[in-house]
Amino acid sequence: MDGFFGGLEQSLRDRNWHAVLVMSLTLPDICVKASDPSRKTNRTRYAAWFEQHVGPSYTRSVGAQQYRQEHKFLSGDDCYALRCALLHEGSTDTSEQRASDVFDSFRFFAPGADGNVNHMNQDGGKLYLMVDVFAKDMLAGARAWWDSLTPAEQTAAKARQLTVTTTDGGMAI
């Protein structure tokens, strides 16, 4: 997983926001498959992984003190719909995605020089997210998941993962 984690961290440092989004949205697929290599990843498994490992970061208590309620800003199904729209269509419009739960579209903001943050703001069927915060949340969830595996599970997962070798036979990642 080091290659995937390191690649996402490098993309964050380089402010390569498209790569950041693609890598962030594919991490759950990679983790799900590594958890159970005999089964294909799918909407249900992706959404469940997200809910367990990242979802708590997207749930907040909102409202006046006496009326506070738990509000889920991003569900596993909506994240899967976003993944499908972005990876298959290059879009953040999820209105045509069957997995879409609450949102019709997403808008991502990159950190600017002024330091303004627009994260987990909802306007009707649109969710606004900071691309760097979203990526760091996805990465933190994936790292925590990875750290929860036994050494034997990690070794088995590593054996099945992508490796890239240099043309002179050395290991690149």
Side-chain angles (χ1 to χ4, degrees):
M1 294 297 291
D2 291 338
F4 296 112
F5 295 160
L8 179 50
E9 290 168 334
Q10 184 64 47
S11 294
L12 279 161
R13 283 190 298 275
D14 292 345
R15 300 173 64 91
N16 184 346
W17 304 125
H18 287 82
V20 164
L21 281 173
V22 168
M23 294 176 83
S24 296
L25 289 167
T26 56
L27 274 178
D29 284 316
I30 295 163
C31 296
V32 162
K33 184 66 174 180
S35 293
D36 187 353
S38 66
R39 296 173 59 204
K40 286 184 74 167
T41 62
N42 60 31
R43 170 188 174 179
T44 302
R45 294 181 72 206
Y46 183 105
W49 186 95
F50 178 90
E51 292 289 347
Q52 181 177 353
H53 299 285
V54 183
S57 296
Y58 288 85
T59 303
R60 298 281 193 275
S61 291
V62 297
Q65 190 63 38
Q66 65 270 30
Y67 303 109
R68 288 187 98 55
Q69 295 181 353
E70 288 288 304
H71 180 75
K72 188 180 292 189
F73 284 92
L74 183 58
S75 71
D77 283 334
D78 275 321
C79 191
Y80 185 78
L82 174 61
R83 168 220 176 268
C84 292
L86 185 73
L87 297 181
H88 300 294
E89 301 168 359
S91 171
T92 56
D93 179 346
T94 58
S95 62
E96 303 283 322
Q97 298 295 324
R98 285 179 295 198
S100 184
D101 183 24
V102 175
F103 298 106
D104 297 326
S105 66
F106 292 80
R107 179 149 183 215
F108 284 95
F109 290 90
D114 59 10
N116 289 336
V117 174
N118 190 358
H119 188 65
M120 286 197 301
N121 290 314
Q122 211 173 316
D123 181 16
K126 184 178 280 190
L127 181 64
Y128 298 93
L129 298 169
M130 293 295 296
V131 64
D132 60 324
V133 175
F134 175 74
K136 289 173 186 175
D137 290 340
M138 294 292 272
L139 183 58
R143 281 191 184 282
W145 162 82
W146 182 251
D147 291 343
S148 75
L149 298 181
T150 67
E153 290 170 323
Q154 287 184 358
T155 299
K158 286 178 186 177
R160 293 185 301 271
Q161 287 175 357
L162 167 73
T163 56
V164 178
T165 36
T166 62
T167 55
D168 60 4
M171 186 65 68
I173 57 171

